[in-house]
Amino acid sequence: MNALPTVLALALATATTATAQRISETQARDLLAGLMIPIHDSPNDPHGLYGIWAGAPGYKASFHDGFTFYPVVGAEHEHQPLSWRTAAIRVGERALELHAPREEFSDWRFERRYDCG
C-alpha cells in the first residue's frame, strides 16, 4: 500500500479545515502528529524479539541492533532499508574501546551512549 496519497489527502483536508475553521498552526500540526507512532518497545511475541520501533505513514524505523530506516516504497517495489551500526569509534589514529552502549529513549528521541573508557 502506498501511503503517499493518503498523507496528501489528509494534509489537504487539514489545510482546508484549517482555512475554513481558522485553527492555529499548532492545532493543525497536532492533527498531523496523530499519524505518527512514537518510539516504543513491547513484550516479545511468539515470533521473536519485538525490539524498539517508531513510524509514520511514509516510514518505519527500528532502533534495536543499530538503526534501520524503512521508507514506504509501495507494493510494486522491493524494500530499501538503510541501516547504521557503530562498529568503532576513533579519535585520530586511536581506536576507542567500545563497551555495551546504554540506550535511552522517549517518545521522539533515541540515544545510544557508549562508554569509551
Side-chain angles (χ1 to χ4, degrees), residues 10-22:
L10 204 54
L12 181 59
T14 301
T16 303
T17 302
T19 302
Q21 296 181 356
R22 302 239 180 239

Side-chain angles (χ1 to χ4, degrees), residues 40 49-53 61-68 70 84-85 103 110 112:
H40 64 283
L49 178 67
Y50 180 82
I52 302 170
W53 292 89
S62 70
F63 299 90
H64 52 280
D65 191 30
F67 169 76
T68 304
Y70 299 87
W84 172 275
R85 285 172 185 74
E103 297 177 342
F110 182 91
R112 184 171 284 123

Side-chain angles (χ1 to χ4, degrees), residues 29-77:
R29 191 172 33 244
D30 288 346
L31 286 171
L32 291 175
L35 298 174
M36 297 171 56
I37 301 169
I39 298 170
H40 64 283
D41 60 2
S42 186
N44 295 338
D45 64 31
H47 304 289
L49 178 67
Y50 180 82
I52 302 170
W53 292 89
Y59 71 89
K60 66 180 180 180
S62 70
F63 299 90
H64 52 280
D65 191 30
F67 169 76
T68 304
F69 175 78
Y70 299 87
V72 172
V73 293
E76 64 277 4
H77 300 288

